[in-house]
Amino acid sequence: MPTSRPGIDVLLHEDRVFRPGRNFTAGANQGDPAIYGRAARDPEAFWASMARELTWSRPWKKVLEWTPPHARWFVGGRLNASVNCLDRHLGGATRNKAAIIWEGEPGDDRTLTYAQLHREVCKFANVLKGLGVAKGDRVTLYLPLIPELAIAMLACARIGAVHSVVFGGFSAESLRDRINDAKSTVLVTADGGYRRGAQVPLKRTADEALHGSPCVRHVVVVRRDNFPIDVQEGRDHWWHRLMQHASADCPAEAMDSSDMLYILYTSGTTGKPKGIVHGTGGYMVGAFATARWVFDLKPPDVYWCTADIGWVTGHSYVVYGPLANGATVFIYEGAPDWPDRGRFWELCHKHGVTIFYTAPTAIRAFMRWGIEWPAKHDLSRLRLLGSVGEPINPEAWMWYHKYIGGERCPVVDTWWQTETGMIMITPLPGITPTKPGSATRPFPGVSAEVLDDAGKVIKHGGGYLAITRPWPGMLQTIYGDDARYLQTYWSRWDNKTYFPGDGARRDRQGYFWLLGRVDDVLNVAGHRIGTMEVESALVDHPSVAEAAVVGRTHELKGQALAAFVTPKDGITVDTRLSDELKGHVVKKIGALARPDDIIFTAELPKTRSGKIMRRLLKDIAEGRTLGDMTTLADPSVIHALKQKYQEE
Ligand code: WTA
C-alpha cells in the first residue's frame, strides 16, 4: 500500500458551467479576456499600470526588486494609504458621496461622506500625535464593527503609524499577547459593542489584558452606548473628548512604498499567533486592483462585505480596497440572525446593496435556516455575489446563486489569505465562466500552480497549491520572526515558491479547485483525499446543511473517516439517515470515501472567523485531549460533540 503518493486524489466531478451575461460583460470594469495573456507576458508592466491609477507623492524607480524570499514593490516610490482612500476622492462628485453607511445591531445608523470621513481621520490622526504616536509606532485597535475602527486605521496610516487590529471577540489573553508582541504604546477600544442582543464589554476585557501589557501608555475609549466602564485616570481617555478640540488639518506622511502599513495576527488553532506584516505600496495596489475588477465597483454601487474589519477580509475589502476605489461601503455591526434570521436580507433591501461578499459558513447557515428568510425581502438590486474563507461546496454555491442571486448575479469565489493580502484566485465576473466550487483561475499578474511533493507541476489532478511569482499584496515577513517567515512559507520546495498550505486540483481547463488545508488531508488505504470533496458530497444530500470530515487512526486502512454532520432545520436524525448519507457519499465519489462514522451535531466548532476546526474534531475522533479553546465560537458545542461521540 503506497503511503506517500505524489499528489492528492481527485474524487468529485462538477460539470455545471455559468457564463457571464452579455450585459454584465459589456459594462464590466474588465471585460477583455486578453488581459490574462497581456499580464502574464509582462506582470511587472501590468502591476505598474494598475499602480499608476493611485496617487504617489514620488514615483517609483523600479517596479519589483526580488531577493527571494523578500520582495520590494514600487521601489523608491512614496505614497500614503489614507490619501489614496480619501483625499484623492475629494476633488469631484465623490466628495459628498457616502463612503461608509453603517448600521448597528440595535438599528442605529450613521453615514459618513468621503469629506466627513476625511475630516474624522485627520482629527484622529492629530489625536494620536497628541498622545505621542509617531511614524513606525504600533497602535492596537480592539473595537466593535463601528466606523471608528476604519477611522482609526486610516488615521494610523495617515501619520505612518502601524495598526494592529485585534478582532473584538478575542479574549483578554489573546489581546494581551498581540499587544505585547507588537509592543503597542496606544490601545483604542470601546466601552462595548452589540452581538446577538448582548452587550460585549470590550473595555473590561481590555483592562484585564492591560494588567500584563506595560508597553501601553494610553487607552482611547469610544463611547458606543454608555456601557458602564472603569476609567484609569491619566491612562484612559474618551475618544469624543479628545476629538472635540482636535484640528482637522493633518498633512499625510509620505511613506516609502515598503514601509509597514499594518500587522495582522492570524489566529491559528495552535501555537503562537503570527504577526503578518503588510507594506504600503504593493499592498495598496493589490487591494485596489482586485477590488476594482473582482467586485466590478461602480459609482452607484452599494457594496457590503460581511466580514469583520478584525480579519484580513475586512482590511482589504471593507477598508483599503473599496475606499481606494471611491466606493460606498455598507457596514453592519451585528449578527445575521438578530433579531431574526432575515436581518441580512432586510439590510440588503433597506440600504440598496448591489454587491454582497460573505463566507461559505454564513451561506451554509442561510441554507439551514431555509429560503423563506431571503424570500421575505426584495433582493433585486443585488448584481454580484462573492464568497471567501473556505472552499465553497457546490451545493452551497448553487443555493447562493439561486436564492440570493436570483440566478442573475455572477458568483465570485475568491481564494486568498491573510498572508497574500489580496485576492489571488478568482473569476473576473465579466470574463470568466464559473463552475460551482471552483475559484477558477489566478487574477491577472498572479502565477499559481499545483505541485507534487517534489515540486513537479501537476497539469491535471490534485496536489499542493503554490504561488510561483511575487505579487504586490504579499506579506513582507512575520513580525519579529523572519526565520519563521522563511520556514513557514518559503521552504516547502525552494525559496522562490510560496506555499500557502492548501491542497488544490486543476481540471482539464486549468481551473483551480481548492481542497482544504493540507494538514487536514485524509489518507485512506493509501489514497490522499481532500476534506472538501467528501464534505461536498455530504452537503449535496438534501438533509444536510454542513459537514466536516476528519480521519481517525484505523489499523487496516491507515485512516477511517469520521463525518460530523449538521442536518437542516426540521430533519429527524436516525440510523436510516446515517446509512443513507454513507450511501450518498459512495454514490457521489466512490466507496473509498465512505465515512465509517456519522456524528450528527447541531453545530460544528468554528474559529472566530468561521472556519471549521477540523483538527479539534480529529482530536475528538481520536479521543485525544482538546487543544486551545479560546478560538472556539462556542465552547459548549465541543463539549456536546465530545459527549455524543462517546455515546456512539
Ligand atoms: C481558506 C481569508 C477555498 C484557505 C481571506 C486559506 C479558501 C485560508 C478560500 C486563509 C476559498 C480562503 N476557497 N479556501 N475561496 N478563501 N480559504 O487567512 O484554506 O483567514 O489558506 O484569509 O482560508 O484564511 P485567512
Side-chain angles (χ1 to χ4, degrees):
M1 181 193 309
T3 47
S4 114
R5 293 156 62 97
I8 297 176
D9 291 302
V10 171
L11 305 175
L12 194 72
H13 292 280
E14 172 61 58
D15 300 321
R16 290 169 286 202
V17 178
F18 295 83
R19 293 182 195 287
R22 207 166 302 152
N23 284 345
F24 198 102
T25 303
N29 286 348
Q30 183 48 264
D32 178 9
I35 188 65
Y36 285 105
R38 267 210 304 281
R41 276 190 294 281
D42 192 347
E44 289 177 32
F46 168 73
W47 288 117
S49 73
M50 299 309 290
R52 275 193 286 275
E53 308 257 330
L54 294 180
T55 300
W56 298 76
S57 56
R58 196 171 83 191
W60 61 88
K61 294 200 179 69
K62 207 172 161 197
V63 176
L64 171 65
E65 206 171 84
W66 180 216
T67 326
H70 293 100
R72 291 177 66 203
W73 282 88
F74 308 108
V75 183
R78 288 188 173 271
L79 79 167
N80 183 286
S82 85
V83 167
N84 278 288
C85 290
L86 303 169
D87 305 51
R88 81 190 193 96
H89 306 309
L90 299 184
T94 320
R95 183 180 180 86
N96 292 320
K97 175 188 171 175
I100 293 176
I101 301 174
W102 173 85
E103 183 160 328
E105 195 182 75
D108 44 342
D109 59 28
R110 278 161 72 188
T111 299
L112 287 158
T113 65
Y114 272 91
Q116 289 169 330
L117 182 59
H118 176 258
R119 192 180 154 79
E120 296 298 303
V121 166
C122 288
K123 286 174 73 175
F124 195 63
N126 281 323
V127 165
L128 289 174
K129 279 194 199 169
L131 297 175
V133 177
K135 184 177 167 180
D137 291 349
R138 277 81 54 214
V139 175
T140 296
L141 310 176
Y142 182 65
L143 285 161
L145 195 41
I146 55 177
E148 282 78 3
L149 180 47
I151 293 167
M153 288 163 80
L154 292 163
C156 288
R158 193 154 192 95
I159 61 171
V162 175
H163 58 71
S164 162
V165 181
V166 178
F167 171 61
F170 274 117
S171 65
E173 201 176 318
S174 308
L175 174 61
R176 191 215 308 128
D177 289 347
R178 287 158 173 76
I179 292 173
N180 291 346
D181 189 76
K183 300 192 186 59
S184 296
T185 53
V186 170
L187 171 70
V188 183
T189 186
D191 52 357
Y194 288 99
R195 187 76 193 175
R196 217 161 260 125
Q199 299 187 348
V200 184
L202 289 160
K203 174 64 164 67
R204 205 194 305 151
T205 311
D207 284 340
E208 211 182 312
L210 288 171
H211 283 310
S213 302
C215 49
V216 173
R217 291 196 300 265
H218 295 285
V219 179
V220 182
V221 187
V222 178
R223 189 151 77 193
R224 167 78 182 87
D225 207 5
N226 279 321
F227 295 75
I229 64 159
D230 292 332
V231 176
Q232 186 174 313
E233 287 302 326
R235 185 195 73 180
D236 298 353
H237 319 270
W238 283 111
W239 169 293
H240 59 276
R241 291 261 167 77
L242 295 174
M243 288 289 267
Q244 228 166 17
H245 305 293
S247 155
D249 179 22
C250 181
E253 194 74 38
M255 302 299 286
D256 187 89
S257 177
S258 296
D259 278 340
M260 222 189 284
L261 178 62
Y262 67 79
I263 303 171
L264 182 59
Y265 289 87
T266 57
S267 53
T269 44
T270 52
K272 183 173 172 280
K274 296 178 280 192
I276 303 302
V277 173
H278 281 292
T280 308
Y283 173 81
M284 283 304 294
V285 171
F288 164 78
T290 48
R292 186 180 203 84
W293 286 1
V294 176
F295 300 119
D296 196 48
L297 294 167
K298 301 272 171 39
D301 277 315
V302 178
Y303 161 89
W304 182 14
C305 163
T306 68
D308 194 285
I309 293 179
W311 311 117
V312 74
T313 306
H315 281 57
S316 298
Y317 300 110
V318 176
V319 180
Y320 290 112
L323 295 181
N325 278 284
T328 295
V329 178
F330 173 67
I331 301 175
Y332 165 60
E333 176 190 29
D337 53 353
W338 190 265
D340 67 38
R341 291 171 164 184
R343 183 67 184 272
F344 270 19
W345 318 124
E346 181 211 321
L347 290 169
C348 280
H349 171 61
K350 177 171 168 192
H351 297 283
V353 173
T354 58
I355 301 169
F356 181 76
Y357 188 35
T358 195
T361 180
I363 298 167
R364 292 187 300 252
F366 304 147
M367 287 173 78
R368 194 173 91 206
W369 297 341
I371 55 170
E372 61 271 27
W373 294 103
K376 279 189 199 149
H377 302 275
D378 176 7
L379 301 179
S380 61
R381 281 182 61 91
L382 286 173
R383 66 178 196 91
L384 177 70
L385 302 177
S387 169
V388 61
E390 284 181 295
I392 179 165
N393 320 102
E395 278 326 291
W397 194 106
M398 289 300 298
W399 188 95
Y400 194 34
H401 177 251
K402 185 164 178 190
Y403 295 109
I404 306 303
E407 294 179 324
R408 79 187 169 272
C409 303
V411 176
V412 290
D413 173 12
T414 63
W415 178 88
W416 61 294
Q417 306 178 298
T418 305
E419 292 86 342
T420 69
M422 58 182 249
I423 292 171
M424 300 291 278
I425 303 183
T426 177
L428 293 182
I431 301 178
T432 322
T434 52
K435 303 180 189 183
S438 170
T440 74
R441 54 190 298 189
F443 189 83
V446 171
S447 301
E449 299 281 1
V450 172
L451 303 181
D452 70 9
D453 268 326
K456 210 168 113 287
V457 172
I458 297 176
K459 276 222 148 66
H460 310 129
Y464 307 100
L465 182 63
I467 311 296
T468 51
R469 268 178 180 284
W471 65 99
M474 69 191 264
L475 74 166
Q476 294 184 328
T477 186
I478 293 176
Y479 192 68
D481 199 349
D482 202 52
R484 191 174 178 196
Y485 166 72
L486 197 139
Q487 165 66 28
T488 311
Y489 306 111
W490 303 94
S491 59
R492 179 70 182 75
W493 298 285
D494 57 46
N495 71 351
K496 293 191 234 5
T497 310
Y498 175 85
F499 177 47
D502 282 12
R505 76 173 169 94
R506 294 189 83 172
D507 67 15
R508 301 240 156 239
Q509 279 80 47
Y511 273 33
F512 287 79
W513 300 73
L514 278 302
L515 299 175
R517 303 291 296 166
V518 297
D519 296 345
D520 297 332
V521 163
L522 312 160
N523 194 330
V524 183
H527 296 276
R528 292 165 59 77
I529 307 170
T531 49
M532 161 66 175
E533 299 196 309
V534 188
E535 288 161 7
S536 289
L538 287 162
V539 174
D540 182 72
H541 189 279
S543 302
V544 175
E546 189 153 45
V549 175
V550 298
R552 65 169 169 79
T553 317
H554 186 280
E555 276 178 22
L556 299 177
K557 293 194 282 189
Q559 283 187 336
L561 301 191
F564 295 82
V565 171
T566 305
K568 287 201 181 128
D569 280 1
I571 299 290
T572 330
V573 300
D574 49 22
T575 47
R576 208 171 44 90
L577 179 58
S578 166
D579 291 340
E580 205 177 301
L581 293 182
K582 290 177 186 175
H584 193 72
V585 173
V586 173
K587 193 173 86 204
K588 290 290 287 185
I589 57 182
L592 83 106
R594 181 179 202 274
D596 290 71
D597 315 305
I598 303 254
I599 304 101
F600 292 106
T601 171
E603 256 173 275
L604 289 167
K606 307 244 174 91
T607 63
R608 300 247 179 216
S609 66
K611 294 187 209 298
I612 297 172
M613 299 175 76
R614 290 184 190 73
R615 248 172 292 174
L616 214 144
L617 291 173
K618 193 172 158 66
D619 281 353
I620 294 171
E622 298 274 15
R624 280 201 293 267
T625 49
L626 302 176
D628 173 21
M629 300 289 283
T630 66
T631 52
L632 268 178
D634 178 7
S636 64
V637 168
I638 205 70
H639 293 301
L641 268 174
K642 199 179 168 203
Q643 206 108 42
K644 260 198 191 122
Y645 199 88
Q646 284 161 349
E647 282 163 15
E648 287 283 307

